[in-house]
């Protein structure tokens, strides 16, 4: 074979190999493509299966009822939510027509054209319909309907998602009814209903706002309520609503003056409560306002009437006190005037014969001494008288007569002097000639009072002697009304004697009273606590006075004595004499079973006398 031929053969062979390689390469690519397509198909198939499973889970677990219908509106799928809504199980619902399954009989004629129209829809529809459950209960359902088509666009059925909205519809109906009722109540209420934001901007005012205050509602909606409040009441108003915001609780009882359109003010009573947002924060305030002008006017009239009654009562009480005071003074003045006149008269009548007797006693004493001396001379010079004289001497007991006659005359003189002292004390006590201010010896007045009461201080059959202890200080003459001051001493000392007698006669013998029973005592002391005043203390060691009794001690007609033994005027008048007539003080210091002490303090000089 020639070289040329060989080269041609080689060239042909090379071309054949190249064609073979090309063929093999094309075949290999086709196999790979087929394999890739197979892999994609498997993946798509698995994804579709997974998607179908997920869709099935979504359908089964969907809270909404999911229903598949064929083109004849027969059930092909029925999820558990649909079972719950309508009461039918999936087995009971499958292949049953919608009309006979869940549409009330009286509504089926109306629903048939609706179903036919649904098959003509290109997109989904939303509707609310009345349905019936397996138990025959009528419910309201909201339907979401979507047509289903195949890959060629041919309608294969309808997918429906259904929600039972019966409770919601009933709630909406009840709410609407409630809103109508509430609006009717608000619009017909005699009070004003209001609401405002936290900055005071009004957001609602009921129609009665116009009737009550004269403004149109539109004049204040969107504006602050503050111009409606009286300037003097803004603080109270702000504090009231601030409490609502701060506490988040309703408040009541706000009373203030509200401005009317004619410029006048009326009284209102307002209650308020907070409006909260979802977070529990106060965002608005709402409340009710009522006109209480008539009530406030009635209250003001009542308060004025009560104030007037209180004033009249006070005036009557003052008048009564003045009448009691005047009555007390008149009674005591008349009593003391009569007593003073009686004492002065008795003293005067006694004084004349006493002076006569006292004056003659001096002469009788002289005469008796002369006669006794004469008898003595006869006895010396005529020791042996005649028998008749001796018999007479024995009959008259001359020796005893001579010895006793001077004693008898001396005793008469002492008695006459005692009577004169008593008369002087009576005249000092009565002081009829000393009704005006004059400078007086206080100690003399006390002593004259004790002289008059001496018969009560002496021991008696069942009562021991009452000891009087006097501790007189160095007092100047005091400017006073002597007769009235002696009256005070008499009242206090007489009461002290009464107390001591009662302590002994009426009280049980106890350890604390044992000393009092055997040694009743009245202590009188005087002193000058300063250069302007004198102080007199009169104390006893009797039963004392209770705290309750001390509070009423100086009240007119108050007495601790038995009925018929005291008028209750003595200490009351004494208090008036010391405090009103002399500008001093009278107080009692006492405690039960510790005795009582009356402390009198009066100025040395009376201001009235210097005016």
């Amino acid at each position: 074979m020639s070289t040329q031929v060989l080269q041609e053969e080689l060239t042909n062979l090379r071309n054949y190999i190249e064609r073979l390689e090309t063929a093999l390469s094309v075949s290999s690519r086709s196999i790979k493509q087929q394999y890739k397509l197979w892999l994609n198909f498997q993946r798509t198939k698995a994804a579709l299966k997974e998607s179908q499973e997920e869709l099935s889970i979504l359908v089964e677990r969907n809270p909404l009822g999911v229903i598949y219908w064929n083109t004849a509106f027969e059930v092909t799928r029925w999820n558990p939510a649909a079972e719950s809504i309508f009461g039918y199980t999936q087995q009971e619902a499958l292949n049953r027509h919608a009309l006979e399954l869940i549409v009330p009989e009286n509504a089926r004629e109306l629903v048939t054209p609706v179903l036919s129209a649904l098959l003509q829809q290109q997109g989904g529809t939303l509707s609310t319909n009345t349905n019936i459950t397996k138990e025959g209960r009528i419910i309201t359902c909201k339907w979401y309907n979507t047509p289903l088509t195949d890959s060629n666009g041919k309608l294969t059925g309808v997918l429906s998602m259904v929600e039972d909205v019966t409770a919601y519809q009933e709630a909406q109906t009840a709410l609407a009814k409630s809103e109508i009722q509430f609006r009717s109540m608000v619009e017909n209420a005699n009070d004003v209903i209001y609401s405002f934001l936290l900055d005071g901007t009004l957001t609602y005012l009921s129609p009665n706002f116009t009737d009550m205050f004269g403004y149109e509602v539109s004049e204040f909606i969107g504006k602050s309520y503050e111009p409606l409040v009286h300037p003097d009441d803004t603080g109270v108003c702000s504090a009231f609503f601030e409490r609502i915001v701060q506490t988040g609780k309703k408040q009541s009882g706000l009373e203030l003056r509200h401005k009317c359109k004619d410029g006048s003010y009326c009284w209102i009573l307002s209650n308020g409560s907070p409006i909260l947002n979802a977070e529990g924060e106060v965002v608005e305030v709402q409340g009710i306002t009522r006109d209480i002008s008539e009530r406030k006017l009635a209250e003001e009239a009542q308060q004025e009437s009560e104030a007037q009654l209180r004033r009249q009562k006070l005036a009557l009480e003052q008048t009564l006190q003045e009448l009691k005071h005047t009555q007390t003074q008149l009674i005591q003045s008349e009593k003391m005037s009569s007593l003073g006149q009686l004492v002065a008269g008795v003293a005067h009548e006694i004084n004349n014969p006493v002076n006569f007797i006292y004056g003659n006693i001096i002469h009788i004493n002289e005469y008796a001494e002369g006669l006794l001396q004469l008898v003595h001379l006869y006895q010396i010079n005529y020791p042996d008288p005649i028998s008749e004289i001796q018999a007479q001497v024995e009959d008259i007991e001359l020796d005893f007569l001579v010895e006793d006659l001077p004693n008898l005359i001396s005793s008469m003189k002492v008695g006459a002097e005692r009577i004169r002292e008593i008369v002087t004390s009576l005249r000092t006590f009565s002081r009829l000639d000393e009704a005006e201010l004059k400078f007086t010896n206080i100690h003399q007045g006390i002593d004259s009072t004790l002289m008059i009461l001496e018969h009560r201080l002496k021991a008696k059959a069942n009562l021991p002697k009452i000891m009087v202890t006097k501790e007189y200080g160095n007092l100047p003459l005091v400017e006073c009304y002597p007769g009235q001051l002696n009256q005070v001493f008499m009242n206090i000392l007489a009461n002290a004697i009464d107390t001591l007698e009662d302590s002994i006669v009426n009280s049980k013998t106890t350890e604390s009273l044992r000393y009092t029973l055997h040694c009743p005592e009245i202590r009188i002391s005087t002193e000058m606590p300063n250069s302007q005043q004198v102080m007199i203390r009169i104390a006893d060691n009797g039963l004392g006075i209770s705290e309750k009794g001390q509070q009423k001690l100086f009240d007119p007609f108050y007495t601790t004595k038995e009925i018929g033994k005291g008028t209750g005027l003595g200490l009351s008048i004494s208090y008036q004499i010391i405090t009103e007539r002399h500008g001093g003080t009278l107080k009692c210091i006492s405690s039960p079973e510790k005795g009582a002490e009356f402390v009198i303090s009066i100025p040395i000089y009376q201001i009235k006398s210097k005016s």
Side-chain angles (χ1 to χ4, degrees), residues 235-254:
V236 175
C237 182
S238 298
F240 178 82
F241 290 120
E242 185 65 25
R243 283 197 300 274
I244 296 176
V245 176
Q246 294 272 343
T247 62
K249 297 180 180 179
K250 66 179 181 179
Q251 302 289 328
S252 60
L254 172 64

Side-chain angles (χ1 to χ4, degrees), residues 36 38 41 47 68 144 176 216 236 254 284 295 454 459 462 465 470 489 502 573 601:
K36 287 181 179 179
W38 181 79
F41 172 75
Y68 284 90
Y144 308 87
E216 293 296 329
V236 175
L254 172 64
E284 279 191 71
R295 193 196 81 187
E454 187 173 0
N462 59 340
K465 179 180 179 180
K470 294 188 287 187
F489 298 150
D502 290 342
I573 291 178
S601 178

Side-chain angles (χ1 to χ4, degrees), residues 510-579:
T510 63
E511 188 67 27
S512 61
L513 292 175
R514 187 168 298 164
Y515 180 78
T516 300
L517 293 175
H518 296 288
C519 301
E521 181 185 11
I522 295 175
R523 301 180 304 279
I524 305 172
S525 63
T526 61
E527 61 178 317
M528 281 183 60
N530 54 59
S531 60
Q532 303 296 322
Q533 287 185 317
V534 295
M535 185 176 291
I536 304 102
R537 296 176 179 269
I538 302 175
D540 64 71
N541 60 345
L543 287 173
I545 304 171
S546 67
E547 182 177 352
K548 183 178 180 181
Q550 290 181 59
Q551 295 174 356
K552 300 180 179 180
L553 198 58
F554 301 117
D555 292 350
F557 307 106
Y558 175 77
T559 179
T560 58
K561 299 178 182 179
E562 297 178 4
I563 297 175
K565 291 188 177 182
T567 63
L569 292 175
L571 289 179
S572 174
I573 291 178
S574 298
Y575 186 82
Q576 293 174 13
I577 290 172
I578 296 299
T579 59

Side-chain angles (χ1 to χ4, degrees), residues 393-422:
V393 168
E394 291 177 0
D395 287 341
I396 65 174
E397 297 181 353
L398 180 60
D399 293 339
F400 176 76
L401 187 149
V402 169
E403 182 182 352
D404 192 52
L405 183 59
N407 295 334
L408 182 61
I409 294 173
S410 177
S411 177
M412 292 173 63
K413 183 179 179 181
V414 170
E417 288 177 348
R418 176 64 176 163
I419 294 173
R420 291 183 69 189
E421 289 177 358
I422 293 174

Side-chain angles (χ1 to χ4, degrees), residues 12-245:
N12 291 332
L13 180 59
R14 188 179 294 114
N15 290 335
Y16 176 75
I17 291 171
E18 287 178 355
R19 287 196 298 273
L20 182 60
E21 288 177 349
T22 301
L24 288 171
S25 175
V26 171
S27 176
S28 175
R29 283 197 300 271
S30 177
I31 291 171
K32 289 180 178 180
Q33 288 176 352
Q34 290 295 326
Y35 179 69
K36 287 181 179 179
L37 289 174
W38 181 79
L39 287 177
N40 288 336
F41 172 75
Q42 292 298 326
R43 292 192 188 98
T44 301
K45 183 178 178 182
L48 179 61
K49 183 178 180 182
E50 183 179 355
S51 177
Q52 287 177 339
E53 290 176 352
E54 290 178 354
L55 179 61
S56 178
I57 292 172
L58 289 174
V59 168
E60 292 300 310
R61 297 182 180 179
N62 200 313
L64 300 179
V66 178
I67 305 172
Y68 284 90
W69 313 91
N70 59 23
T71 54
F73 274 99
E74 295 172 340
V75 177
T76 60
R77 188 163 186 177
W78 185 271
N79 77 338
E83 293 180 358
S84 176
I85 293 172
F86 297 106
Y88 296 101
T89 64
Q90 181 169 302
Q91 288 73 18
E92 291 173 330
L94 285 177
N95 300 319
R96 294 186 64 177
H97 195 277
L99 292 179
E100 68 177 49
L101 186 65
I102 58 174
V103 177
E105 188 173 354
N106 58 0
R108 291 175 183 176
E109 292 183 2
L110 300 176
V111 173
T112 299
V114 174
L115 296 178
S116 300
L118 184 61
L119 296 176
Q120 307 300 321
Q121 299 291 331
Q122 296 298 318
T125 62
L126 173 64
S127 62
T128 300
N129 302 317
T130 299
N131 297 107
I132 187 169
T133 66
K134 180 179 179 180
E135 295 81 10
R137 183 169 59 89
I138 302 298
I139 60 175
T140 301
C141 297
K142 184 177 287 187
W143 292 85
Y144 308 87
N145 301 304
T146 303
L148 299 175
T149 58
D150 59 15
S151 59
N152 297 320
K154 182 180 178 181
L155 183 68
T156 60
V158 175
L159 168 64
S160 295
M161 300 181 71
V162 60
E163 179 183 8
D164 185 357
V165 294
T166 305
Y168 175 78
Q169 286 290 97
E170 291 175 349
Q172 288 291 100
T173 303
L175 179 61
K177 182 179 179 180
S178 176
E179 287 179 351
I180 293 171
Q181 291 176 341
F182 178 74
R183 183 171 296 278
S184 175
M185 290 172 59
V186 169
E187 292 180 352
N188 295 315
N190 293 326
D191 301 328
V192 173
I193 315 297
Y194 63 86
S195 64
F196 58 82
L197 302 175
L198 299 188
D199 62 359
T201 302
L202 289 162
T203 56
Y204 179 78
L205 288 169
S206 63
N208 200 45
F209 178 78
T210 301
D211 298 333
M212 190 175 294
F213 305 116
Y215 300 100
E216 293 296 329
V217 171
S218 59
E219 293 183 62
F220 275 93
I221 292 295
K223 298 179 181 178
S224 175
Y225 69 80
E226 292 182 358
L228 296 170
V229 180
H230 192 284
D232 294 342
D233 298 336
T234 53
V236 175
C237 182
S238 298
F240 178 82
F241 290 120
E242 185 65 25
R243 283 197 300 274
I244 296 176
V245 176

